[in-house]
Amino acid sequence: MESVLAASPVIKVAALCGSLRQASFNRALLRSAAEICEKSVSGMKVEYVDVSPLPMLNTDLEVGGRFPAAVDAFRQKILQADSILFASPEYNYSVTAPLKNAIDWASRPPNVWADKAAAIVSAGGGFGGGRSQYHLRQIGVYLDLHFINKPEFFLNVFQPPLKFDDDGNLTDAETKERLKEVLLSLQAFTLRLQGKL
């Protein structure tokens, strides 16, 4: 798939990681996605949006129709994004608590996820986080998030050859190419939803 022409508007992608660990492989995927966009996907910019400052969802914190400052800042980032890139590790066959908490805060009226394109990547053992992706797609139905269907991206990080170096940087060329294909698909789908392609 070829990158969309540089004349197209820049697609702003909000990148969210379901793991809070600094050394998370899923967070490393998002770093690599941002680097790939800078180097070889014109017209697309990935910005990491940290979910760790968000308090646990509690509607008592909504006072006078206003959200806590951290929640409001997060919601604004999602609102201003054209599309979303989730890095969703799998905990107990599902999405993680930090990611679900972020999703729920941004879905509070008015729902700022609605009508955005989205993609999911995941890294882990076994199925590479695949079960979390299926749950996230189900959640997206209610949120009016529109996920790309192909390509799917699940990464088993423990199968040789090693995919990351000791500093947590994605080094495997084939995995980088697969990640680039996800980004190109997300870019094209975003433009199509916006009526620009």
Side-chain angles (χ1 to χ4, degrees):
M1 181 185 293
E2 294 296 326
S3 180
V4 178
L5 295 175
S8 298
V10 175
I11 299 296
K12 294 181 289 185
V13 181
L16 279 66
C17 183
S19 173
L20 302 184
R21 285 192 323 116
Q22 287 296 321
S24 163
F25 292 121
N26 285 276
R27 185 178 294 202
L29 287 177
L30 295 181
R31 281 198 312 272
S32 188
E35 291 166 5
I36 289 168
C37 279
E38 285 179 16
K39 294 176 183 175
S40 57
V41 180
S42 61
M44 193 172 193
K45 181 173 177 56
V46 174
E47 179 186 357
Y48 177 72
V49 180
D50 190 5
V51 302
S52 65
L54 298 173
M56 288 301 292
L57 182 71
N58 178 354
T59 54
D60 288 345
L61 299 177
E62 298 177 34
V63 179
R66 298 177 63 90
F67 295 100
V71 172
D72 190 57
F74 174 74
R75 287 171 55 87
Q76 287 302 312
K77 288 283 188 185
I78 302 303
L79 184 63
Q80 292 164 8
D82 297 298
S83 55
I84 313 296
L85 177 61
F86 293 98
S88 182
E90 179 182 319
Y91 288 8
N92 300 318
Y93 280 28
S94 189
V95 298
T96 65
L99 184 55
K100 183 62 164 61
N101 186 55
I103 289 169
D104 291 345
W105 270 123
S107 73
R108 295 291 300 155
N111 170 26
V112 295
W113 301 111
D115 295 322
K116 295 186 187 295
I120 318 169
V121 296
S122 59
F127 193 23
R131 295 180 188 90
S132 73
Q133 292 199 24
Y134 296 141
H135 272 194
L136 186 49
R137 286 177 181 276
Q138 288 177 308
I139 293 165
V141 171
Y142 184 76
L143 300 176
D144 290 326
L145 265 173
H146 307 291
F147 285 100
I148 64 169
N149 291 322
K150 294 287 189 299
E152 292 182 307
F153 185 104
F154 316 110
L155 181 63
N156 186 324
V157 295
F158 304 110
Q159 276 183 339
L162 294 178
K163 310 298 191 291
F164 298 89
D165 65 19
D166 291 340
D167 295 320
N169 299 306
L170 181 62
T171 55
D172 183 68
E174 180 183 351
T175 302
K176 285 184 177 181
E177 187 59 32
R178 289 177 53 214
L179 187 54
K180 181 180 176 181
E181 290 300 315
V182 170
L183 294 168
L184 290 172
S185 180
L186 178 61
Q187 181 183 42
F189 189 41
T190 301
L191 290 173
R192 193 157 79 242
L193 283 179
Q194 294 176 344
K196 297 172 183 173
L197 185 66

